Amino acid sequence: QVHLMESGGGSVQAGGSLTLSCLLSGVKSNNYCMIWFRQAPGKEREGVANLAADGATSYSDSVKGRFTISQDKVKNTLYLQMNSLKPEDTAMYHCAADISAGYCYTPPQAPDAAFSYWGQGTQVTVSS
């Protein structure tokens, strides 16, 4: 059974950094697409960064140049390094996986329904 578990959220001042982790288990192949979503109170969920099976990455304009998505396949862990954080980055962050080996949807419009497996989320709060 596929399972994802995020960690690493917390509170930080504007300009600070955080690294989110997403431990992935139960996936039997390497052909999957991973994405980080976030949802702020009162706002729609948006994709912020994805990592395709071939290693290609994409970012939403709102985080490009500040966030970096990466993966350690030995540790089965996806990361989101977040630098130069802004108050508008405050949100619940979820990692999600699509193991269908189909198209790897890119942020920010990646549809929730394309990703079958989700973590429980980790809160990031950035104060000004």
Side-chain angles (χ1 to χ4, degrees), residues 49 85 88:
L85 282 162
E88 52 263 43

Side-chain angles (χ1 to χ4, degrees), residues 6-7 27 31 46 57 59-61 76 86 99 124 128:
E6 302 95 338
S7 61
V27 178
N31 193 6
E46 65 165 343
T57 59
Y59 299 89
S60 66
D61 287 344
N76 292 325
K86 303 175 181 180
I99 64 171
V124 172
S128 57

